[in-house]
Amino acid sequence: MAHESTQIVQALWGSWETDAWTLDVKGGEFADMDKIQPINLEGQYYASRGPLPIPPSEQGQPVIFQAGEGEEGLELAGRYASGVYANPYDIESAREQRQTLRQSAARFGRNPDDIRIYAGFMFSLGSTEEEGLERRRRLMSFNPDEIPSRVRYLGSMVGLTLSVDSVDIDQPLAPYLLKNAYANPRDPRSHKALELLKQGLSIRDVLAYGVINYHPVVAGTPLQVADFLEEWFLAEACDGFSVVPDIAYDGVADFVELVVPILQDRSLFHREYGSSLPIRKSKINNNNNFLLPDQRRKITFRIGRNENEIWNYRCRTHRVEYRKKIN
């Protein structure tokens, strides 16, 4: 179903040729109808005659992002995605996921560089690491009803039965409990949780470090945040980040004003945009997914699990230059 809907939408985006939208006021012509073609696609779940009833965007094909793991998600990303939202917790798993997605793109005849992986990342900024942690402690205090479940979850990560009734969360874990603690092998976050507990941090502070969050968390200075981003990027663990501030009120502004300049000084972030287009088509090359009229060729798609479910139609491709490093 997802394959059909994606392909129909892409075909509709490509049903207008680049110069079909004339906007000829004097001649009374809104569009050249000879350059707007039906798509006439029919699958098991969706069908459309087309064409698109409105002009497409200036880029012709907006970029497609995919989220979700598993075999189906991997195939969807490999076939169509320009970007993938990912949630690896450490560099090793991030690098492995990135390589798997690139291999999936190659399996479907695409250039692996056409698919970009964006790792989720959370942060709390302060002038010191302690100030960043205090910010997270305060945010936790805004939702006191969530703390009991967080403590129980932390316990499950290190093989212990913990509750707010059995332990003082503002004190380090008791030695007899710590002696029996171990990292849950099924949870990659558990190793950091156990490490922090062994350092003598209180349970509240361990939670403040974000060990139970599904994205990596850095609570600290702008320099610490920039170091984290640089380490992941240079290790080829991702192509970019889906940045999640702890709170939108000032988190976004602080990141832009305090972290971005550090990344710019390290030549890891651009200082200006090279295109006025709302979607930077010069940065993403999606090959067959750009259905524009500059080049035409016949492409065969297989839909669903049935080998007989084949769609043949003429689609338009437009290749754009991708620059890996932003000047």
Side-chain angles (χ1 to χ4, degrees), residues 34-302:
D34 291 334
K35 297 182 179 181
I36 304 173
Q37 303 297 328
I39 61 173
N40 294 321
L41 296 182
E42 181 176 358
Q44 182 178 352
Y45 303 101
Y46 301 105
S48 175
R49 290 193 306 261
L52 193 70
I54 59 174
S57 65
E58 189 174 354
Q59 296 77 19
Q61 293 280 319
V63 295
I64 293 178
F65 272 74
Q66 184 270 345
E69 299 180 3
E71 288 300 320
E72 187 69 18
L74 183 63
E75 181 177 350
L76 285 170
R79 283 181 179 270
Y80 312 112
S82 302
V84 174
Y85 288 118
N87 61 342
Y89 194 75
D90 53 48
I91 285 181
E92 290 185 6
S93 60
R95 189 186 291 115
E96 180 180 352
Q97 184 174 0
R98 179 175 181 267
Q99 186 61 28
T100 300
L101 286 164
R102 289 171 60 84
Q103 290 171 352
S104 179
R107 189 165 65 251
F108 294 109
R110 300 175 59 199
N111 185 334
D113 287 339
D114 292 347
I115 186 169
R116 322 306 291 172
I117 315 304
Y118 298 89
F121 163 71
M122 305 175 71
F123 65 91
S124 291
L125 286 173
S127 59
T128 64
E129 183 174 340
E130 175 58 31
E131 191 174 303
L133 281 173
E134 179 57 29
R135 181 179 172 96
R136 292 191 62 82
R137 294 189 198 103
R138 284 184 322 193
L139 291 173
M140 287 171 55
S141 70
F142 295 156
N143 296 288
D145 294 340
E146 293 184 359
I147 292 180
S149 62
R150 288 171 175 259
V151 173
R152 289 194 299 271
Y153 196 97
L154 175 62
S156 69
M157 292 172 64
V158 294
L160 299 174
T161 301
L162 300 180
S163 74
V164 293
D165 298 322
S166 63
V167 295
D168 183 349
I169 67 171
D170 291 311
Q171 295 296 324
L173 203 61
Y176 77 93
L177 290 173
L178 196 58
K179 181 180 178 180
N180 296 319
Y182 63 90
N184 188 329
R186 294 179 297 179
D187 192 333
R189 301 167 296 174
S190 61
H191 295 281
K192 182 177 180 180
L194 183 59
E195 178 186 344
L196 293 174
L197 287 170
K198 287 183 174 180
Q199 290 177 11
L201 273 67
S202 70
I203 292 175
R204 190 185 301 274
D205 282 353
V206 172
L207 291 172
Y209 269 101
V211 295
I212 71 170
N213 291 91
Y214 284 96
H215 295 313
V217 175
V218 176
T221 66
L223 183 61
Q224 287 175 300
V225 172
D227 287 345
F228 175 92
L229 298 175
E230 180 179 20
E231 181 183 12
W232 276 53
F233 182 74
L234 295 183
E236 297 186 344
C238 61
D239 300 292
F241 297 88
S242 173
V243 178
V244 183
D246 52 9
I247 188 170
Y249 172 71
D250 58 357
V252 175
D254 283 349
F255 184 86
V256 172
E257 295 172 3
L258 301 174
V259 178
V260 168
I262 299 175
L263 297 176
Q264 289 175 327
D265 289 342
R266 299 178 182 182
S267 299
L268 295 171
F269 197 88
H270 56 83
R271 295 184 181 275
E272 59 184 26
Y273 291 99
S275 171
S276 62
L277 298 180
I279 299 176
R280 292 169 293 161
K281 69 178 183 179
S282 61
K283 301 296 187 286
I284 296 180
N285 174 5
N286 216 11
N287 290 342
N288 296 346
N289 288 352
F290 282 83
L291 310 181
L292 294 176
D294 301 67
Q295 299 175 349
R296 293 170 181 253
R297 64 176 179 174
K298 190 172 184 179
I299 295 181
T300 300
F301 289 102
R302 180 170 66 84

